[in-house]
C-alpha cells in the first residue's frame, strides 16, 4: 500500500492580495484550519507562492487562494 499523507499533517497557506472578500475568506479558513498560515500583499503570482513556501514548515503544503473558500468536505 502506498504511503498516505494526512491533510492535518500539512501546512495550509492562504495567499491573498486584493481580493474583495479576503478578510472574510481568511476568517473562514482559520475556523476550518486553525493552523493555517497567511501570505498577503506580495506582488506577483510566482513571488506570492515562493513566499508561501517560505512560511510553510512542512515539506509539502496546501495553497488556498484568497478568492476561494475551502469546502468542508476537503
Amino acid at each position: 500500500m502506498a504511503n498516505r499523507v494526512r491533510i492535518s499533517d500539512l501546512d495550509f497557506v492562504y495567499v491573498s492580495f486584493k481580493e474583495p472578500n479576503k478578510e472574510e475568506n481568511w476568517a473562514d479558513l482559520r475556523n476550518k484550519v486553525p493552523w493555517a498560515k497567511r501570505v498577503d500583499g506580495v506582488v506577483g503570482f510566482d513571488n506570492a507562492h515562493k513566499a508561501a513556501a517560505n512560511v510553510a514548515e512542512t515539506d509539502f503544503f496546501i495553497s488556498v487562494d484568497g478568492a476561494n473558500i475551502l469546502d468542508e468536505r476537503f
Side-chain angles (χ1 to χ4, degrees), residues 43-65:
V43 177
F45 185 82
D46 288 342
N47 291 335
H49 285 87
K50 287 176 185 175
N54 286 333
V55 301
E57 297 176 30
T58 53
D59 290 337
F60 299 95
F61 66 94
I62 309 265
S63 173
V64 180
D65 185 79

Side-chain angles (χ1 to χ4, degrees), residues 3-74:
N3 291 336
R4 295 180 189 246
V5 175
R6 292 181 302 185
I7 296 296
S8 61
D9 289 341
L10 297 175
D11 278 337
F12 280 62
V13 183
Y14 181 75
V15 180
S16 58
F17 189 64
K18 292 184 179 180
E19 297 84 2
N21 294 330
K22 69 180 185 175
E23 298 305 328
E24 294 87 350
N25 294 352
W26 169 236
D28 179 75
L29 179 63
R30 287 295 302 239
N31 283 329
K32 295 172 182 167
V33 184
W35 65 92
K37 301 171 184 329
R38 184 176 185 180
V39 171
D40 182 49
V42 177
V43 177
F45 185 82
D46 288 342
N47 291 335
H49 285 87
K50 287 176 185 175
N54 286 333
V55 301
E57 297 176 30
T58 53
D59 290 337
F60 299 95
F61 66 94
I62 309 265
S63 173
V64 180
D65 185 79
N68 292 306
I69 294 176
L70 186 68
D71 187 323
E72 291 180 12
R73 295 173 294 177
F74 181 71

